[in-house]
Amino acid sequence: MNIKQVILQAFRDHPGEFISGEDLSQTCGCSRTAVWKHIEELRKDGYEVEAVRKSGYRLIVAPDRLSAAEIMAGLHTARIGQNVFAHDEVVSTQPLAHEAAAKGAPEGTLVLAEQQTGGRGRLGRPWHSPKGTGIWMSLIVRPAIPIPKTPQMTLLTAVTIARTIREETGVPVKIKWPNDIFCGDKKVCGVLTELNAESDRVNYLVIGIGLNANSVQSDFPEELSEIATSLRIESGDEVKRVDFIQQFCRNFEEEYDHFLQHGFQRVKQEWEKHSYSIGRWVSVQTISQMFEGRAVGLDDEGVLMVEDRAGIMHKVYSADVNYRANE
């Protein structure tokens, strides 16, 4: 951690308390003058820090700002989120994460932004990403798994997001196959997983996450107002985005490590437990065909199983799945 991160960590460890300049200088391994300079930098970043002679420094207010220093302070993971690139405005975090991964960024690297001007979801669909309201980020992972198993990482991520939403907000959510999180019948989050691989090995995955955290109804354009929602709308409370990202990183690392050591079964069970899809009548459009049926669950590889009217079971690997009223 750099000095600003160490100072923020100290404030987090002692909420509402004064910390002397001497204690901070010892913790940071620098002079008291250097501590003061970094406190001034934090103030320029929007932090309200009170300084009282003979008492020290106390953090009064931290801005709702996604910075590397904020996210890494108090994270306590081994690798997920331990390297962060934070931007104010980007076209999309996905290509930036690909670029970082190609240059050797370590597993667990996060690329995030306050705003995306060209965010996109699955099948190239645009993703509305207004400034300061959501969590728009991409995660780099380098799993030692066979290429056919990489779609399971999308399901693992969806399970982790749903768990984090429940823990941080109490909002009940469901997972729509393969990559969406729903509150009721409205979408609150999407996942986009992109693979870079050779013929026999995975180089890396970039997992893009777009979460409507603190949007209010007026933030959504008219075409999205009936199909999208946010955690703030659903819970009535503002989401602390840094806390949410930190908890997601902790949860993801736990689920990911379990997956690498023990396989897909736990992810499958959690996905089915919180599924929006199972039991619903769906229309499935693949590259080669279109059919209708009832979604009945996942197989052991994470493939969606759909039973048509004739009782024939179809394996849906990749498709556009639309939902109809149950029949």
Side-chain angles (χ1 to χ4, degrees):
M1 291 193 292
N2 61 34
I3 292 176
K4 282 205 295 188
Q5 290 166 5
V6 173
I7 293 172
L8 286 174
Q9 178 64 62
F11 285 144
R12 282 178 174 267
D13 290 342
H14 302 276
E17 300 177 18
F18 282 101
I19 308 174
S20 71
E22 181 62 31
D23 286 345
L24 283 175
S25 69
Q26 291 180 5
T27 301
C28 296
C30 65
S31 68
R32 293 179 65 174
T33 300
V35 168
W36 175 81
K37 288 181 179 179
H38 283 89
I39 292 288
E40 289 301 301
E41 289 182 13
L42 288 172
R43 285 171 170 157
K44 291 177 182 178
D45 290 340
Y47 293 86
E48 185 179 337
V49 181
E50 182 181 10
V52 175
R53 190 176 181 183
K54 295 185 179 180
S55 294
Y57 301 97
R58 179 172 64 173
L59 179 63
I60 304 299
V61 176
D64 180 24
R65 186 167 179 263
L66 301 183
S67 69
E70 273 284 351
I71 291 167
M72 294 173 67
L75 181 56
H76 304 308
T77 60
R79 60 199 187 287
I80 304 301
Q82 289 298 326
N83 188 44
V84 178
F85 297 101
H87 304 272
D88 184 56
E89 180 181 308
V90 300
V91 175
S92 169
T93 60
Q94 287 291 96
L96 295 178
H98 278 284
E99 182 180 346
K103 291 180 179 178
E107 178 171 74
T109 294
L110 277 179
V111 179
L112 38 80
E114 288 286 359
Q115 180 179 14
Q116 295 182 123
T117 58
R120 57 190 173 85
R122 188 167 168 268
L123 303 178
R125 297 185 177 108
W127 185 268
H128 185 59
S129 314
K131 187 169 185 175
T133 64
I135 294 173
W136 327 122
M137 65 183 183
S138 298
L139 170 65
I140 299 169
V141 290
R142 301 179 183 275
I145 59 175
I147 293 174
K149 291 187 179 295
T150 55
Q152 296 175 358
M153 289 297 300
T154 299
L155 304 177
L156 183 152
T157 304
V159 163
T160 304
I161 293 169
R163 171 185 169 185
T164 306
I165 289 173
R166 292 192 299 271
E167 290 174 348
E168 290 294 301
T169 71
V171 172
V173 292
K174 296 290 186 179
I175 307 169
K176 173 181 173 288
W177 189 89
N179 66 329
D180 294 333
I181 309 297
F182 271 51
C183 295
D185 290 322
K186 291 187 175 184
K187 184 173 177 177
V188 73
C189 181
V191 179
L192 174 64
T193 304
E194 296 176 333
L195 168 68
N196 182 287
E198 299 173 27
S199 59
D200 61 344
R201 64 192 282 278
V202 174
N203 292 326
Y204 63 83
L205 296 174
V206 171
I207 305 173
I209 297 165
L211 173 66
N212 300 327
N214 289 322
S215 307
V216 295
Q217 200 63 51
S218 60
D219 289 326
F220 294 109
E222 185 177 351
E223 65 270 19
L224 296 180
S225 61
E226 295 300 318
I227 60 175
T229 188
S230 75
L231 297 180
R232 182 176 181 178
I233 291 171
E234 297 299 321
S235 70
D237 295 319
E238 190 168 337
V239 176
K240 294 181 178 179
R241 294 183 298 158
V242 169
D243 290 350
F244 189 99
I245 292 170
Q246 290 180 326
Q247 187 63 20
F248 168 80
C249 289
R250 290 187 284 264
N251 288 343
F252 186 94
E253 186 163 281
E254 178 189 330
E255 292 290 347
Y256 182 47
D257 286 346
H258 188 276
F259 168 73
L260 294 177
Q261 295 172 22
H262 304 289
F264 180 66
Q265 191 61 30
R266 188 167 86 173
V267 174
K268 176 181 183 294
Q269 291 173 351
E270 283 299 303
W271 191 95
E272 291 184 332
K273 180 180 177 181
H274 300 288
S275 173
Y276 178 88
S277 305
I278 293 175
R280 290 178 178 263
W281 195 263
V282 298
S283 61
V284 179
Q285 178 68 65
T286 69
I287 295 177
S288 59
Q289 65 173 327
M290 180 175 180
F291 63 91
E292 293 185 347
R294 195 173 306 281
V296 298
L298 302 178
D299 72 3
D300 289 338
E301 297 301 315
V303 177
L304 182 66
M305 306 297 293
V306 177
E307 184 178 12
D308 67 18
R309 294 183 187 277
I312 298 172
M313 196 69 71
H314 300 261
K315 290 189 174 185
V316 181
Y317 294 89
S318 178
D320 197 12
V321 177
N322 294 306
Y323 293 77
R324 296 171 50 186
N326 285 342
E327 298 189 358

